[in-house]
Amino acid sequence: MESHPIQLNDIALFVEVARRKSFSLAARALSMPTSTLSRRIGQLEQAIGLRLINRNTRRLELTNAGAAYLRRCQGLVDEARLAHEQLLAMSARPQGRLSISIPYSMAIWLLPEALKAFTERYPDLECEFDLGLNPAENSQGGPFDMALRFGHEQLGAEPATDDPSVQEITTLDSYLYASADYLQAHGKPQQPADLAGHECLRTTIDREHSFWMLRNGERSERVAVHGAIAGNNISVMGTLSGLGLGITRLPNCRALAPIIDRNTLQRILPGWSTDPLPVFAIFPSPVLPAKTRAFMEFLRPWLDPVE
């Protein structure tokens, strides 16, 4: 039987099917009939002389040969797609669907203002957000274009320094804030040790989070703190502090400035900051499409510190 020559487009189709683990989802994303996609993959297997995908399960699986082929080909396909998009970017704006996974605690203070400005700048982009920590895939059945995470706890583990799919966007210093009403009623701390006599809004109530590490240049102090309220939502904690319920820690960045202003919070212990908080971006591939690069470039200034 005469074999078909290998087409680069068919390799790209295989990579799409392998990533989505579904012919139908890949066909939908590629805007082509499932039967055509299946036939093209079959021709690729025929040209190679090896089966790449097992089709006898409800959710397709790669063969050993298919897994090895994906590892070698996906980088080439991503590079080719990036080269194509870079040429298009010279005369076109980022467009299409941008899917992002972001924790609710971050989305509630980062997205509203930033997203309004972003959609005004890029009207041809559709933005889809999943406010969870461990989603498997986006609504189209594929990986998210980007996931944003706070610190190593949300990341799951400290990233390898050589992993190009994980980028540390910035590291946020956190300052201490309280309302004027709280300070009038309880006094203003003059040094870190004074925090032991105040209501402090912690992340959780367990012992591990009952200590705050404060730094001022080369000086550092570990302070035991307590309080009746704990929570993991920065915006909510800012609101509670604004109601006079205690002292809270808030990252110093442009996106959080409206929360501080809205709740008329005052910074206490100026010069001191708590443990810095890294912000990570995770990508399905180290090669970023134009739409993802556009969001990354737009996001960075919103995480800049407020002087």
Side-chain angles (χ1 to χ4, degrees):
M1 179 181 297
E2 181 181 356
S3 63
H4 295 271
I6 295 177
Q7 303 290 330
L8 292 180
N9 283 343
D10 290 345
I11 296 177
L13 297 180
F14 163 74
V15 169
E16 191 71 24
V17 172
R19 283 177 171 170
R20 296 182 183 273
K21 296 182 173 61
S22 167
F23 275 101
S24 59
L25 292 176
R28 187 185 311 163
L30 295 166
S31 299
M32 64 187 305
T34 304
S35 58
T36 301
L37 179 58
S38 179
R39 175 175 54 79
R40 295 277 292 274
I41 299 300
Q43 291 174 351
L44 177 63
E45 291 174 320
Q46 185 178 345
I48 295 173
L50 291 171
R51 180 171 289 279
L52 302 174
I53 297 174
N54 286 324
R55 299 170 173 79
N56 57 352
T57 59
R58 294 184 63 184
R59 186 175 180 87
L60 64 80
E61 297 177 350
L62 297 179
T63 64
N64 291 337
Y69 199 57
L70 176 64
R71 287 194 296 270
R72 296 299 298 271
C73 293
Q74 60 183 344
L76 298 175
V77 171
D78 288 337
E79 288 288 349
R81 183 177 292 115
L82 178 60
H84 179 71
E85 289 184 348
Q86 286 176 335
L87 289 176
L88 290 177
M90 295 179 183
S91 60
R93 297 162 62 89
Q95 57 185 330
R97 181 190 298 269
L98 177 67
S99 61
I100 299 175
S101 168
I102 180 171
Y104 177 80
S105 60
M106 185 188 301
I108 199 171
W109 58 264
L110 178 60
L111 288 185
E113 295 292 333
L115 188 59
K116 179 178 184 295
F118 181 74
T119 54
E120 289 174 351
R121 180 178 298 184
Y122 299 104
D124 296 328
L125 271 175
E126 295 179 320
C127 298
E128 177 184 67
F129 295 92
D130 185 286
L131 307 187
L133 279 177
N134 296 300
E137 55 191 21
N138 62 33
S139 64
Q140 301 300 301
F144 285 91
D145 295 306
M146 177 169 61
L148 293 172
R149 295 293 182 264
F150 257 152
H152 297 114
E153 291 182 359
Q154 287 189 354
L155 195 62
E158 188 160 351
T161 56
D162 59 350
D163 186 352
S165 297
V166 179
Q167 294 184 20
E168 184 173 324
I169 303 177
T170 188
T171 299
L172 303 175
D173 287 326
S174 293
Y175 299 153
L176 300 180
Y177 295 90
S179 69
D181 288 344
Y182 176 88
L183 296 175
Q184 183 176 0
H186 301 278
K188 179 180 293 187
Q190 300 300 315
Q191 56 188 350
D194 294 343
L195 293 173
H198 285 267
E199 283 289 311
C200 295
L201 306 178
R202 296 166 290 159
T203 305
T204 65
I205 59 175
D206 59 29
R207 179 173 176 79
E208 178 184 354
H209 294 85
S210 296
F211 294 91
W212 286 353
M213 180 65 72
L214 277 74
R215 294 180 172 83
N216 186 345
E218 297 299 320
R219 299 170 58 192
S220 63
E221 293 192 28
R222 187 171 184 260
V223 182
V225 295
H226 66 84
I229 298 174
N232 64 353
N233 187 298
I234 289 174
S235 181
V236 171
M237 301 307 273
T239 300
L240 294 176
S241 184
L243 294 174
L245 295 178
I247 297 170
T248 190
R249 299 178 295 175
L250 294 176
N252 176 35
C253 67
R254 174 186 167 193
L256 269 170
I259 291 177
I260 295 171
D261 293 341
R262 183 166 62 247
N263 293 289
T264 60
L265 297 177
Q266 301 179 17
R267 184 180 174 188
I268 62 173
L269 296 177
W272 292 89
S273 62
T274 63
D275 285 335
L277 185 66
V279 179
F280 295 98
I282 309 162
F283 310 101
S285 166
V287 181
L288 304 184
K291 59 184 180 180
T292 307
R293 293 197 310 275
F295 189 80
M296 282 284 290
E297 293 168 2
F298 187 85
L299 181 65
R300 291 182 190 275
W302 290 89
L303 297 174
D304 283 345
V306 177
E307 301 299 335

